[in-house]
Amino acid sequence: MSNFEFQLAYTVKPHKPERDETDAALTRQHLREKLGLDTVEHIETTLLGSITLNNSTLADRKREAEKLVHDYIHDALKELRVLSTVKFYGCLMVDGLGPAIRFDILPK
């Protein structure tokens, strides 16, 4: 079990711009202010944090990191009830795990 620092850069877009911009703005604010992660001054869509990874291989740690952060953001979107109205695009950098990990959460 090891602790790793991470940086998550992200974009939140409305699913249907003419209807869903309010949900997208609420989501951006919630992610920045309510998730308990650090922010980067003057950069609205970057979050900093740390995660504990249990896997031993690099490939498994990458998958585990992606799943943990994806699930954390997914749960926040679910709590806000915006899973059907916003699109989330993330780029995750985890200390020591190599290139950025890209993932998204899109309306179904």
mmCIF file of all heavy atoms in Angstrom, residues 18-54:
data_model
loop_
_atom_site.group_PDB
_atom_site.id
_atom_site.type_symbol
_atom_site.label_atom_id
_atom_site.label_comp_id
_atom_site.label_asym_id
_atom_site.label_seq_id
_atom_site.Cartn_x
_atom_site.Cartn_y
_atom_site.Cartn_z
ATOM 1 N N GLU A 18 -28.082 24.747 -24.509
ATOM 2 C CA GLU A 18 -29.221 25.652 -24.356
ATOM 3 C C GLU A 18 -30.036 25.364 -23.100
ATOM 4 O O GLU A 18 -30.792 26.213 -22.642
ATOM 5 C CB GLU A 18 -30.124 25.602 -25.599
ATOM 6 C CG GLU A 18 -30.852 24.294 -25.823
ATOM 7 C CD GLU A 18 -30.001 23.171 -26.434
ATOM 8 O OE1 GLU A 18 -28.836 23.400 -26.794
ATOM 9 O OE2 GLU A 18 -30.525 22.046 -26.521
ATOM 10 N N ARG A 19 -29.852 24.194 -22.508
ATOM 11 C CA ARG A 19 -30.664 23.785 -21.368
ATOM 12 C C ARG A 19 -29.847 23.508 -20.117
ATOM 13 O O ARG A 19 -30.336 23.719 -18.998
ATOM 14 C CB ARG A 19 -31.448 22.531 -21.765
ATOM 15 C CG ARG A 19 -32.367 21.997 -20.686
ATOM 16 C CD ARG A 19 -32.907 20.644 -21.032
ATOM 17 N NE ARG A 19 -31.857 19.647 -20.794
ATOM 18 C CZ ARG A 19 -31.891 18.403 -21.241
ATOM 19 N NH1 ARG A 19 -32.902 17.996 -21.960
ATOM 20 N NH2 ARG A 19 -30.921 17.573 -20.972
ATOM 21 N N ASP A 20 -28.619 23.038 -20.249
ATOM 22 C CA ASP A 20 -27.894 22.449 -19.119
ATOM 23 C C ASP A 20 -26.725 23.275 -18.587
ATOM 24 O O ASP A 20 -25.969 22.799 -17.745
ATOM 25 C CB ASP A 20 -27.374 21.064 -19.524
ATOM 26 C CG ASP A 20 -28.498 20.111 -19.908
ATOM 27 O OD1 ASP A 20 -29.606 20.252 -19.359
ATOM 28 O OD2 ASP A 20 -28.256 19.234 -20.751
ATOM 29 N N GLU A 21 -26.556 24.507 -19.029
ATOM 30 C CA GLU A 21 -25.414 25.304 -18.570
ATOM 31 C C GLU A 21 -25.449 25.553 -17.065
ATOM 32 O O GLU A 21 -24.411 25.579 -16.417
ATOM 33 C CB GLU A 21 -25.326 26.630 -19.336
ATOM 34 C CG GLU A 21 -24.137 27.489 -18.927
ATOM 35 C CD GLU A 21 -22.787 26.775 -19.001
ATOM 36 O OE1 GLU A 21 -22.497 26.130 -20.022
ATOM 37 O OE2 GLU A 21 -22.014 26.853 -18.015
ATOM 38 N N THR A 22 -26.638 25.721 -16.501
ATOM 39 C CA THR A 22 -26.742 25.937 -15.059
ATOM 40 C C THR A 22 -26.197 24.741 -14.290
ATOM 41 O O THR A 22 -25.464 24.903 -13.303
ATOM 42 C CB THR A 22 -28.209 26.207 -14.659
ATOM 43 O OG1 THR A 22 -28.666 27.360 -15.373
ATOM 44 C CG2 THR A 22 -28.344 26.451 -13.172
ATOM 45 N N ASP A 23 -26.526 23.522 -14.729
ATOM 46 C CA ASP A 23 -26.005 22.316 -14.074
ATOM 47 C C ASP A 23 -24.490 22.224 -14.221
ATOM 48 O O ASP A 23 -23.792 21.825 -13.291
ATOM 49 C CB ASP A 23 -26.642 21.054 -14.665
ATOM 50 C CG ASP A 23 -28.056 20.819 -14.158
ATOM 51 O OD1 ASP A 23 -28.517 21.567 -13.268
ATOM 52 O OD2 ASP A 23 -28.695 19.875 -14.650
ATOM 53 N N ALA A 24 -23.973 22.610 -15.380
ATOM 54 C CA ALA A 24 -22.528 22.568 -15.592
ATOM 55 C C ALA A 24 -21.823 23.555 -14.660
ATOM 56 O O ALA A 24 -20.798 23.229 -14.051
ATOM 57 C CB ALA A 24 -22.196 22.857 -17.051
ATOM 58 N N ALA A 25 -22.368 24.754 -14.521
ATOM 59 C CA ALA A 25 -21.780 25.758 -13.632
ATOM 60 C C ALA A 25 -21.831 25.291 -12.179
ATOM 61 O O ALA A 25 -20.847 25.432 -11.428
ATOM 62 C CB ALA A 25 -22.501 27.090 -13.797
ATOM 63 N N LEU A 26 -22.949 24.710 -11.769
ATOM 64 C CA LEU A 26 -23.077 24.167 -10.416
ATOM 65 C C LEU A 26 -22.051 23.063 -10.175
ATOM 66 O O LEU A 26 -21.427 22.997 -9.110
ATOM 67 C CB LEU A 26 -24.492 23.622 -10.216
ATOM 68 C CG LEU A 26 -24.749 22.858 -8.916
ATOM 69 C CD1 LEU A 26 -24.767 23.811 -7.744
ATOM 70 C CD2 LEU A 26 -26.044 22.088 -9.013
ATOM 71 N N THR A 27 -21.860 22.218 -11.162
ATOM 72 C CA THR A 27 -20.905 21.122 -11.052
ATOM 73 C C THR A 27 -19.484 21.650 -10.906
ATOM 74 O O THR A 27 -18.713 21.186 -10.050
ATOM 75 C CB THR A 27 -21.008 20.191 -12.270
ATOM 76 O OG1 THR A 27 -22.342 19.683 -12.336
ATOM 77 C CG2 THR A 27 -20.024 19.040 -12.177
ATOM 78 N N ARG A 28 -19.106 22.610 -11.731
ATOM 79 C CA ARG A 28 -17.764 23.201 -11.646
ATOM 80 C C ARG A 28 -17.517 23.772 -10.249
ATOM 81 O O ARG A 28 -16.476 23.555 -9.647
ATOM 82 C CB ARG A 28 -17.586 24.303 -12.694
ATOM 83 C CG ARG A 28 -17.459 23.794 -14.092
ATOM 84 C CD ARG A 28 -17.200 24.957 -15.071
ATOM 85 N NE ARG A 28 -17.722 24.599 -16.365
ATOM 86 C CZ ARG A 28 -18.853 25.040 -16.890
ATOM 87 N NH1 ARG A 28 -19.598 25.910 -16.244
ATOM 88 N NH2 ARG A 28 -19.246 24.627 -18.073
ATOM 89 N N GLN A 29 -18.499 24.501 -9.729
ATOM 90 C CA GLN A 29 -18.367 25.104 -8.406
ATOM 91 C C GLN A 29 -18.250 24.027 -7.332
ATOM 92 O O GLN A 29 -17.416 24.119 -6.438
ATOM 93 C CB GLN A 29 -19.549 26.015 -8.110
ATOM 94 C CG GLN A 29 -19.458 26.674 -6.741
ATOM 95 C CD GLN A 29 -20.643 27.556 -6.449
ATOM 96 O OE1 GLN A 29 -21.653 27.535 -7.155
ATOM 97 N NE2 GLN A 29 -20.543 28.345 -5.405
ATOM 98 N N HIS A 30 -19.072 23.001 -7.414
ATOM 99 C CA HIS A 30 -19.051 21.926 -6.430
ATOM 100 C C HIS A 30 -17.699 21.211 -6.424
ATOM 101 O O HIS A 30 -17.130 20.964 -5.364
ATOM 102 C CB HIS A 30 -20.180 20.930 -6.715
ATOM 103 C CG HIS A 30 -20.250 19.819 -5.724
ATOM 104 N ND1 HIS A 30 -20.865 19.966 -4.505
ATOM 105 C CD2 HIS A 30 -19.764 18.549 -5.761
ATOM 106 C CE1 HIS A 30 -20.768 18.822 -3.830
ATOM 107 N NE2 HIS A 30 -20.107 17.958 -4.575
ATOM 108 N N LEU A 31 -17.193 20.882 -7.599
ATOM 109 C CA LEU A 31 -15.912 20.186 -7.674
ATOM 110 C C LEU A 31 -14.791 21.039 -7.092
ATOM 111 O O LEU A 31 -13.904 20.538 -6.404
ATOM 112 C CB LEU A 31 -15.587 19.800 -9.119
ATOM 113 C CG LEU A 31 -16.517 18.779 -9.777
ATOM 114 C CD1 LEU A 31 -16.107 18.545 -11.219
ATOM 115 C CD2 LEU A 31 -16.528 17.460 -9.013
ATOM 116 N N ARG A 32 -14.822 22.322 -7.344
ATOM 117 C CA ARG A 32 -13.777 23.231 -6.894
ATOM 118 C C ARG A 32 -13.860 23.496 -5.390
ATOM 119 O O ARG A 32 -12.838 23.630 -4.724
ATOM 120 C CB ARG A 32 -13.913 24.540 -7.668
ATOM 121 C CG ARG A 32 -12.726 25.425 -7.678
ATOM 122 C CD ARG A 32 -12.849 26.600 -8.656
ATOM 123 N NE ARG A 32 -14.112 27.330 -8.570
ATOM 124 C CZ ARG A 32 -15.051 27.317 -9.510
ATOM 125 N NH1 ARG A 32 -14.905 26.634 -10.614
ATOM 126 N NH2 ARG A 32 -16.166 27.999 -9.364
ATOM 127 N N GLU A 33 -15.083 23.547 -4.844
ATOM 128 C CA GLU A 33 -15.244 24.030 -3.477
ATOM 129 C C GLU A 33 -15.670 22.985 -2.455
ATOM 130 O O GLU A 33 -15.462 23.183 -1.262
ATOM 131 C CB GLU A 33 -16.263 25.175 -3.458
ATOM 132 C CG GLU A 33 -15.823 26.371 -4.271
ATOM 133 C CD GLU A 33 -16.881 27.461 -4.350
ATOM 134 O OE1 GLU A 33 -17.958 27.309 -3.736
ATOM 135 O OE2 GLU A 33 -16.627 28.455 -5.048
ATOM 136 N N LYS A 34 -16.266 21.885 -2.879
ATOM 137 C CA LYS A 34 -16.910 20.990 -1.917
ATOM 138 C C LYS A 34 -16.331 19.576 -1.831
ATOM 139 O O LYS A 34 -16.770 18.796 -1.015
ATOM 140 C CB LYS A 34 -18.406 20.860 -2.240
ATOM 141 C CG LYS A 34 -19.145 22.155 -2.371
ATOM 142 C CD LYS A 34 -19.313 22.846 -1.064
ATOM 143 C CE LYS A 34 -20.226 24.055 -1.234
ATOM 144 N NZ LYS A 34 -20.096 25.018 -0.195
ATOM 145 N N LEU A 35 -15.381 19.220 -2.679
ATOM 146 C CA LEU A 35 -14.895 17.839 -2.682
ATOM 147 C C LEU A 35 -13.816 17.564 -1.651
ATOM 148 O O LEU A 35 -13.454 16.426 -1.420
ATOM 149 C CB LEU A 35 -14.356 17.458 -4.070
ATOM 150 C CG LEU A 35 -15.387 17.078 -5.109
ATOM 151 C CD1 LEU A 35 -14.702 16.561 -6.361
ATOM 152 C CD2 LEU A 35 -16.366 16.054 -4.592
ATOM 153 N N GLY A 36 -13.269 18.605 -1.044
ATOM 154 C CA GLY A 36 -12.221 18.401 -0.062
ATOM 155 C C GLY A 36 -10.844 18.213 -0.675
ATOM 156 O O GLY A 36 -9.911 17.798 0.000
ATOM 157 N N LEU A 37 -10.707 18.509 -1.964
ATOM 158 C CA LEU A 37 -9.411 18.442 -2.624
ATOM 159 C C LEU A 37 -8.827 19.847 -2.700
ATOM 160 O O LEU A 37 -9.552 20.835 -2.654
ATOM 161 C CB LEU A 37 -9.550 17.858 -4.034
ATOM 162 C CG LEU A 37 -10.071 16.427 -4.099
ATOM 163 C CD1 LEU A 37 -10.348 16.034 -5.542
ATOM 164 C CD2 LEU A 37 -9.082 15.460 -3.464
ATOM 165 N N ASP A 38 -7.505 19.932 -2.811
ATOM 166 C CA ASP A 38 -6.860 21.226 -2.960
ATOM 167 C C ASP A 38 -7.088 21.750 -4.362
ATOM 168 O O ASP A 38 -7.297 20.985 -5.306
ATOM 169 C CB ASP A 38 -5.353 21.111 -2.701
ATOM 170 C CG ASP A 38 -5.054 20.817 -1.243
ATOM 171 O OD1 ASP A 38 -5.824 21.235 -0.364
ATOM 172 O OD2 ASP A 38 -4.028 20.153 -0.982
ATOM 173 N N THR A 39 -7.038 23.059 -4.494
ATOM 174 C CA THR A 39 -7.143 23.689 -5.802
ATOM 175 C C THR A 39 -5.841 24.429 -6.085
ATOM 176 O O THR A 39 -5.022 24.635 -5.202
ATOM 177 C CB THR A 39 -8.323 24.679 -5.855
ATOM 178 O OG1 THR A 39 -8.147 25.662 -4.833
ATOM 179 C CG2 THR A 39 -9.646 23.968 -5.653
ATOM 180 N N VAL A 40 -5.674 24.800 -7.330
ATOM 181 C CA VAL A 40 -4.524 25.589 -7.736
ATOM 182 C C VAL A 40 -5.012 27.013 -7.932
ATOM 183 O O VAL A 40 -5.956 27.250 -8.688
ATOM 184 C CB VAL A 40 -3.909 25.030 -9.041
ATOM 185 C CG1 VAL A 40 -2.727 25.884 -9.483
ATOM 186 C CG2 VAL A 40 -3.490 23.584 -8.853
ATOM 187 N N GLU A 41 -4.386 27.958 -7.231
ATOM 188 C CA GLU A 41 -4.819 29.348 -7.300
ATOM 189 C C GLU A 41 -4.874 29.832 -8.743
ATOM 190 O O GLU A 41 -3.947 29.591 -9.520
ATOM 191 C CB GLU A 41 -3.858 30.220 -6.493
ATOM 192 C CG GLU A 41 -4.313 31.645 -6.359
ATOM 193 C CD GLU A 41 -3.360 32.471 -5.498
ATOM 194 O OE1 GLU A 41 -2.356 31.937 -5.025
ATOM 195 O OE2 GLU A 41 -3.647 33.654 -5.338
ATOM 196 N N HIS A 42 -5.959 30.478 -9.098
ATOM 197 C CA HIS A 42 -6.186 31.079 -10.412
ATOM 198 C C HIS A 42 -6.397 30.058 -11.534
ATOM 199 O O HIS A 42 -6.482 30.442 -12.688
ATOM 200 C CB HIS A 42 -5.056 32.037 -10.806
ATOM 201 C CG HIS A 42 -4.788 33.098 -9.781
ATOM 202 N ND1 HIS A 42 -5.730 34.035 -9.407
ATOM 203 C CD2 HIS A 42 -3.698 33.344 -9.024
ATOM 204 C CE1 HIS A 42 -5.226 34.819 -8.481
ATOM 205 N NE2 HIS A 42 -4.000 34.420 -8.229
ATOM 206 N N ILE A 43 -6.442 28.775 -11.226
ATOM 207 C CA ILE A 43 -6.742 27.759 -12.238
ATOM 208 C C ILE A 43 -7.985 27.029 -11.757
ATOM 209 O O ILE A 43 -7.927 26.232 -10.828
ATOM 210 C CB ILE A 43 -5.563 26.779 -12.446
ATOM 211 C CG1 ILE A 43 -4.313 27.549 -12.850
ATOM 212 C CG2 ILE A 43 -5.930 25.744 -13.498
ATOM 213 C CD1 ILE A 43 -3.078 26.691 -12.969
ATOM 214 N N GLU A 44 -9.110 27.307 -12.384
ATOM 215 C CA GLU A 44 -10.399 26.844 -11.880
ATOM 216 C C GLU A 44 -10.630 25.350 -12.038
ATOM 217 O O GLU A 44 -11.411 24.777 -11.310
ATOM 218 C CB GLU A 44 -11.530 27.593 -12.570
ATOM 219 C CG GLU A 44 -11.573 29.053 -12.212
ATOM 220 C CD GLU A 44 -12.710 29.772 -12.892
ATOM 221 O OE1 GLU A 44 -13.395 29.172 -13.737
ATOM 222 O OE2 GLU A 44 -12.922 30.948 -12.567
ATOM 223 N N THR A 45 -9.990 24.721 -12.993
ATOM 224 C CA THR A 45 -10.336 23.331 -13.273
ATOM 225 C C THR A 45 -9.160 22.381 -13.071
ATOM 226 O O THR A 45 -8.921 21.478 -13.866
ATOM 227 C CB THR A 45 -10.894 23.197 -14.699
ATOM 228 O OG1 THR A 45 -9.915 23.671 -15.626
ATOM 229 C CG2 THR A 45 -12.194 23.969 -14.866
ATOM 230 N N THR A 46 -8.447 22.581 -11.983
ATOM 231 C CA THR A 46 -7.370 21.673 -11.590
ATOM 232 C C THR A 46 -7.530 21.375 -10.109
ATOM 233 O O THR A 46 -7.670 22.288 -9.298
ATOM 234 C CB THR A 46 -5.985 22.295 -11.858
ATOM 235 O OG1 THR A 46 -5.867 22.561 -13.246
ATOM 236 C CG2 THR A 46 -4.874 21.364 -11.440
ATOM 237 N N LEU A 47 -7.509 20.095 -9.774
ATOM 238 C CA LEU A 47 -7.614 19.659 -8.388
ATOM 239 C C LEU A 47 -6.374 18.860 -8.017
ATOM 240 O O LEU A 47 -5.806 18.154 -8.859
ATOM 241 C CB LEU A 47 -8.857 18.792 -8.192
ATOM 242 C CG LEU A 47 -10.196 19.454 -8.508
ATOM 243 C CD1 LEU A 47 -11.315 18.428 -8.430
ATOM 244 C CD2 LEU A 47 -10.464 20.612 -7.565
ATOM 245 N N LEU A 48 -5.964 18.959 -6.760
ATOM 246 C CA LEU A 48 -4.807 18.230 -6.255
ATOM 247 C C LEU A 48 -5.244 17.363 -5.087
ATOM 248 O O LEU A 48 -6.102 17.749 -4.302
ATOM 249 C CB LEU A 48 -3.731 19.208 -5.770
ATOM 250 C CG LEU A 48 -3.264 20.259 -6.771
ATOM 251 C CD1 LEU A 48 -2.350 21.260 -6.079
ATOM 252 C CD2 LEU A 48 -2.569 19.605 -7.943
ATOM 253 N N GLY A 49 -4.637 16.193 -4.964
ATOM 254 C CA GLY A 49 -4.965 15.318 -3.849
ATOM 255 C C GLY A 49 -3.982 14.177 -3.756
ATOM 256 O O GLY A 49 -2.943 14.164 -4.414
ATOM 257 N N SER A 50 -4.319 13.225 -2.925
ATOM 258 C CA SER A 50 -3.498 12.021 -2.801
ATOM 259 C C SER A 50 -4.420 10.816 -2.689
ATOM 260 O O SER A 50 -5.554 10.925 -2.219
ATOM 261 C CB SER A 50 -2.566 12.107 -1.599
ATOM 262 O OG SER A 50 -3.295 12.185 -0.407
ATOM 263 N N ILE A 51 -3.922 9.696 -3.197
ATOM 264 C CA ILE A 51 -4.679 8.454 -3.147
ATOM 265 C C ILE A 51 -3.754 7.333 -2.683
ATOM 266 O O ILE A 51 -2.543 7.387 -2.889
ATOM 267 C CB ILE A 51 -5.301 8.077 -4.517
ATOM 268 C CG1 ILE A 51 -4.261 8.112 -5.630
ATOM 269 C CG2 ILE A 51 -6.473 8.947 -4.846
ATOM 270 C CD1 ILE A 51 -4.786 7.657 -6.980
ATOM 271 N N THR A 52 -4.351 6.360 -2.072
ATOM 272 C CA THR A 52 -3.619 5.169 -1.650
ATOM 273 C C THR A 52 -3.903 4.065 -2.657
ATOM 274 O O THR A 52 -5.062 3.759 -2.940
ATOM 275 C CB THR A 52 -4.063 4.727 -0.241
ATOM 276 O OG1 THR A 52 -3.817 5.810 0.661
ATOM 277 C CG2 THR A 52 -3.315 3.495 0.209
ATOM 278 N N LEU A 53 -2.827 3.509 -3.207
ATOM 279 C CA LEU A 53 -2.951 2.437 -4.190
ATOM 280 C C LEU A 53 -2.391 1.161 -3.602
ATOM 281 O O LEU A 53 -1.317 1.162 -2.994
ATOM 282 C CB LEU A 53 -2.200 2.813 -5.477
ATOM 283 C CG LEU A 53 -2.663 4.117 -6.144
ATOM 284 C CD1 LEU A 53 -1.792 4.435 -7.342
ATOM 285 C CD2 LEU A 53 -4.124 4.038 -6.532
ATOM 286 N N ASN A 54 -3.118 0.069 -3.784
ATOM 287 C CA ASN A 54 -2.748 -1.214 -3.188
ATOM 288 C C ASN A 54 -2.028 -2.151 -4.139
ATOM 289 O O ASN A 54 -1.361 -3.079 -3.694
ATOM 290 C CB ASN A 54 -4.001 -1.911 -2.644
ATOM 291 C CG ASN A 54 -4.653 -1.112 -1.544
ATOM 292 O OD1 ASN A 54 -4.000 -0.688 -0.606
ATOM 293 N ND2 ASN A 54 -5.944 -0.869 -1.668
#
